[in-house]
Amino acid sequence: MNKIPKSHPRYLSLVTREQISKGMKQGVVHETGLIAHGRGEAFDYLLGETTILPTNKAAKAAAAALLAGNNPVISVNGNVAVLAANSCVKLANLIPAKLEINLFHRTQMRVNKIAVLLQTHGANTVYGVHPNAKIPGLDHDRALCEKEGIFTADVVLIPLEDGDRCQALQKMGKMVIAIDLNPLSRTAQAATITIVDNVTRALPQIEHWVKELKGKKQSELEKILKTWDNSKNLSSVMSFLSKRLNSLS
Ligand code: PTJ
């Protein structure tokens, strides 16, 4: 890794780029993951690279959903593994939730490497290594899942999704929580709860709310979910973006 001086004004962004690039060279991140990262960076720039109020509310709703679920699962792909393996494991242990590897550009080699990475960060069982079920309606490898994991999950957290799986999971009757910096993406628009934030900030934010809400009665968690309006929250995100751009112009 090239030495990036801490004094550089874009230090965090540059270090994150290096992480993604290293992850690709190690065979964890797919090469198109670099393009996805670039798109995310652009939206993060517009947000001001910070967690905004509507996003914090979404993180609270997500925490309530994950705690209220009977079989919550956190789905992990290449970018997520490289950027946030530790946060994924911490969150999974805290809820508790299962971790399942689910890849768009699936190779057994990448799956195995991601499983090792998660285990290095303290994961116990990692699902998705030996899939034995399929999400109906998907013609690509993202359909592959495990019966005990995503297939029978009632709540699925999908950071950095690529689109149609979100709708397919919802058609199966699951509650889907998306983390996506692009509020206009198909995933962001289709999810039950959309967190428009960088996965590196969103996962610790969900963890914060899980700690706050753990121990609350099921009825209190359900009340948070009943009053949740994803379209309204996405509108607040758009209005934040438009106001920010106006104020800068
Ligand atoms: O590891 P694989 O094989 O499963 O492939 C993963 C990628 C990410 C390559 C695949 O899912 C893909 O092509 O995704 P898309 O269609 O490019 O969508 C990724 C979405 O995540 C985009 O809307 C980006 O804005 C968003 N995004 C990128 N980086 C981040 C992000 N959202 C939150 N945090 C990020 N760091």
Side-chain angles (χ1 to χ4, degrees):
M1 192 185 278
N2 290 333
K3 186 95 182 113
I4 301 164
K6 280 210 166 126
S7 57
H8 194 289
R10 304 288 308 149
Y11 177 76
L12 190 59
S13 169
L14 294 179
V15 167
T16 313
R17 277 190 186 178
E18 289 284 344
Q19 253 180 295
I20 284 280
S21 154
K22 194 173 155 205
M24 195 204 82
K25 287 175 197 145
Q26 288 171 339
V28 174
V29 172
H30 187 260
E31 59 205 41
T32 60
L34 270 63
I35 300 167
H37 182 75
R39 186 192 293 172
E41 268 190 347
F43 278 101
D44 209 5
Y45 217 96
L46 297 179
L47 277 176
E49 294 169 320
T50 187
T51 299
I52 62 172
L53 191 64
T55 294
N56 186 32
K57 286 185 185 164
K60 181 180 178 183
L66 289 162
L67 286 170
N70 290 318
N71 186 17
V73 176
I74 301 170
S75 182
V76 180
N77 66 19
N79 288 45
V80 174
V82 159
L83 296 179
N86 195 42
S87 297
C88 286
V89 174
K90 267 169 80 186
L91 187 61
N93 290 343
L94 186 68
I95 294 167
K98 291 173 183 165
L99 289 164
E100 178 157 341
I101 299 165
N102 179 279
L103 301 182
F104 186 60
H105 306 281
R106 187 184 173 96
T107 63
Q108 197 57 41
M109 180 85 89
R110 283 187 67 221
V111 172
N112 293 345
K113 285 184 177 181
I114 294 170
V116 169
L117 188 56
L118 290 170
Q119 278 152 357
T120 309
H121 285 276
N124 299 315
T125 309
V126 176
Y127 293 85
V129 180
H130 303 294
N132 54 8
K134 276 190 170 187
I135 301 165
L138 292 182
D139 295 330
H140 48 80
D141 281 350
R142 271 226 140 129
L144 299 173
C145 62
E146 283 207 38
K147 274 185 198 147
E148 272 186 63
I150 287 175
F151 193 74
T152 54
D154 52 352
V155 182
V156 190
L157 173 61
I158 51 166
L160 270 86
E161 187 67 23
D162 73 322
D164 49 354
R165 190 173 65 129
C166 176
Q167 276 158 318
L169 290 170
Q170 277 180 326
K171 275 193 190 146
M172 290 175 83
K174 301 177 195 304
M175 185 177 274
V176 183
I177 305 162
I179 300 175
D180 193 333
L181 277 160
N182 176 6
L184 302 169
S185 78
R186 279 183 306 155
T187 303
Q189 294 286 326
T192 326
I193 299 168
T194 306
I195 303 172
V196 182
D197 205 357
N198 199 312
V199 68
T200 55
R201 295 190 299 268
L203 290 170
Q205 197 59 24
I206 302 174
E207 185 188 325
H208 159 80
W209 281 113
V210 167
K211 285 179 182 158
E212 288 282 317
L213 298 174
K214 217 173 174 178
K216 298 269 181 217
K217 286 190 198 131
Q218 185 79 3
S219 58
E220 283 182 63
L221 300 174
E222 276 162 15
K223 198 172 153 200
I224 296 172
L225 298 174
K226 259 195 194 136
T227 52
W228 178 251
D229 184 338
N230 207 48
S231 310
K232 200 171 152 198
N233 195 266
L234 280 173
S235 296
S236 304
V237 172
M238 309 285 199
S239 125
F240 172 90
L241 286 172
S242 115
K243 276 187 201 145
R244 182 159 194 269
L245 289 178
N246 264 331
S247 74
L248 293 171
S249 61

